[in-house]
Amino acid sequence: MRRLLEIQKRLLPDLNEQLRKRYTILQQIGLSRSIGRRTLAASLGWTERVLRAETNFLKEQGLLTMEASGMRLTDEGRRIVEEIEPIVKELFGLSELEEQLRQRYGLRQVTVVVGDCDQSPLAKAELGRAAAAALRKYAVPEGIVAVTGGTTMAQVAEQLVASPQLKGTLFVPARGGLGERVELQANTIASAMAKRTGGQYRMLHVPDHLSEDAYQTLMQEPNIREIVELIRRARIVLHGIGEALVMARRRQVPQETCEALLAEGAHAEAFGYYFNRKGGVVHKMPTVGLRLEDIDAMDTVIGVAGGASKGPAIDAIMRSGHTDVLITDEAAARAILEQQAPE
């Protein structure tokens, strides 16, 4: 198969581009379930004229339908997308990117999806779908899954469905999250994941960052201590990755702390810890929930992040050595591999 694809790339390069274009259309329609042509054209950065010609062809092939509410995949269209995904990965070099990243960081698994989350919300939906598939792969019935907050984790929740692997799963927030937008809080996302999979959830109603005195006081509360102990029994952690200063400002961290993070060389954030380019911890926010020593004891830690702008942050978190599985997109993968290793 690999040799055949190499020959095709050399003899029929235009065919590869056509395949990518039509696969992308079908994939994006499938992710959105129903979408108008104008909206899809804007998401892909194409003109409506170009998209109209391609979607008319795909309709004639019986792969999609056009309704007043938007375009939808037919059963045959969904089957085609599933069957050609491995071929597309090989053809577009995604399999090679996955292996390069896996070896670079010594990871158990890397999944790279098509697109750039910085440019397309539908690419982020595909990232969520891939992360949901990874969660199903590593989950065990009746297990505990800890999740962080953020826009990417919200997309993972949106793509989850009930499955045997997630039967009876208890979803819990990895740490306190009050202070962020409600829909992006870990509590909200844990609840959404439970509802979509038929599982259960528990919430941790404490602020995202605390003073040391407040932290010590909260940890004396029996109800808080009980939930934290439950969180620390999770065997799977699903987490996003953020740029250090972007995350600090989003969480309304004081200006003096932001300046300290900059001076300390903070490059990325995950789990409430701030890491430098080499993956070393340079700052920790006092927060109730998982600690790095808890995360290191987990069976599977799944990091999910995409977009070319996230490349340096992803690199820093992967260098820290706390993640087993990486789900990212093509733009971030190329950005990571193009940058030089820190001295």
Side-chain angles (χ1 to χ4, degrees):
M1 173 65 75
R2 182 183 293 269
R3 179 58 179 160
L4 179 61
L5 291 175
E6 288 175 355
I7 292 171
Q8 183 173 310
K9 284 180 183 179
R10 297 182 68 179
L11 296 182
L12 299 166
D14 293 345
L15 182 61
N16 291 342
E17 184 56 37
Q18 190 75 291
L19 174 61
R20 179 175 186 131
K21 184 183 293 185
R22 290 172 180 169
Y23 169 79
T24 300
I25 292 170
L26 293 173
Q27 177 210 43
Q28 301 291 287
I29 293 174
L31 284 170
S32 55
R33 298 183 178 90
S34 177
I35 189 170
R37 190 155 50 202
R38 180 174 298 176
T39 302
L40 181 57
S43 176
L44 295 174
W46 299 354
T47 65
E48 282 192 66
R49 183 179 63 81
V50 169
L51 184 62
R52 185 184 302 110
E54 296 296 342
T55 53
N56 285 343
F57 172 83
L58 294 169
K59 179 185 176 184
E60 291 171 4
Q61 300 303 308
L63 303 179
L64 61 81
T65 61
M66 297 181 184
E67 305 167 6
S69 59
M71 298 179 290
R72 297 175 182 270
L73 292 189
T74 62
D75 290 342
E76 178 68 4
R78 280 188 288 272
R79 186 180 67 80
I80 288 288
V81 170
E82 291 174 2
E83 287 183 355
I84 68 172
E85 184 175 8
I87 299 173
V88 166
K89 277 183 171 287
E90 194 72 42
L91 194 60
F92 303 155
L94 302 188
S95 297
E96 184 178 350
L97 290 176
E98 290 172 346
E99 184 57 21
Q100 285 179 303
L101 291 173
R102 192 190 67 78
Q103 291 189 13
R104 178 169 181 157
Y105 302 116
L107 299 173
R108 190 186 312 169
Q109 175 189 332
V110 175
T111 298
V112 176
V113 303
V114 174
D116 183 348
C117 290
D118 288 344
Q119 304 298 324
S120 170
L122 292 178
K124 184 167 281 191
E126 173 65 2
L127 195 70
R129 185 194 67 81
L135 179 58
R136 288 193 300 273
K137 177 179 178 179
Y138 293 104
V140 294
E142 313 295 331
I144 302 176
V145 175
V147 300
T148 63
T151 56
T152 302
M153 288 299 103
Q155 270 298 335
V156 179
E158 182 68 23
Q159 298 298 325
L160 279 173
V161 294
S163 63
Q165 303 94 320
L166 296 172
K167 183 178 180 181
T169 295
L170 175 63
F171 292 91
V172 295
R175 42 194 267 265
L178 301 183
E180 291 194 79
R181 287 162 43 197
V182 172
E183 65 271 22
L184 302 183
Q185 291 176 12
N187 280 329
T188 305
I189 291 167
S191 168
M193 288 183 171
K195 290 174 182 176
R196 292 192 66 84
T197 60
Q200 301 176 346
Y201 66 94
R202 293 289 298 274
M203 291 188 173
L204 180 62
H205 294 291
V206 297
D208 186 48
H209 55 274
L210 303 161
S211 67
E212 187 60 35
D213 289 343
Y215 173 79
Q216 294 299 337
T217 300
L218 276 172
M219 289 304 290
Q220 300 307 312
E221 291 290 328
N223 288 341
I224 298 295
R225 198 163 60 243
E226 176 200 352
I227 295 174
V228 170
E229 288 172 358
L230 185 65
I231 291 170
R232 290 174 180 171
R233 282 167 40 204
R235 305 317 306 159
I236 295 178
V237 181
L238 197 63
H239 72 90
I241 295 169
E243 298 167 82
L245 291 181
V246 171
M247 296 304 296
R249 290 176 182 133
R250 196 178 93 187
R251 291 176 177 145
Q252 301 176 3
V253 170
Q255 181 60 31
E256 57 268 27
T257 304
C258 289
E259 291 172 0
L261 288 171
L262 191 61
E264 293 164 349
H267 211 65
E269 186 274 345
F271 324 112
Y273 291 80
Y274 290 83
F275 300 80
N276 61 22
R277 284 191 65 206
K278 296 181 180 180
V281 175
V282 295
H283 190 88
K284 176 189 181 299
M285 301 299 295
T287 183
V288 176
L290 288 179
R291 305 159 299 186
L292 282 185
E293 55 263 40
D294 302 317
I295 292 163
D296 287 338
M298 300 293 173
D299 293 337
T300 306
V301 180
I302 304 171
V304 190
S309 64
K310 285 280 187 76
I314 296 169
D315 179 61
I317 298 300
M318 292 305 108
R319 289 182 185 281
S320 74
H322 300 291
T323 300
D324 304 303
V325 176
L326 173 63
I327 312 297
T328 191
D329 65 18
E330 183 179 3
R334 296 192 187 282
I336 292 167
L337 293 170
E338 286 171 3
Q339 70 180 28
Q340 292 183 340
E343 297 180 0

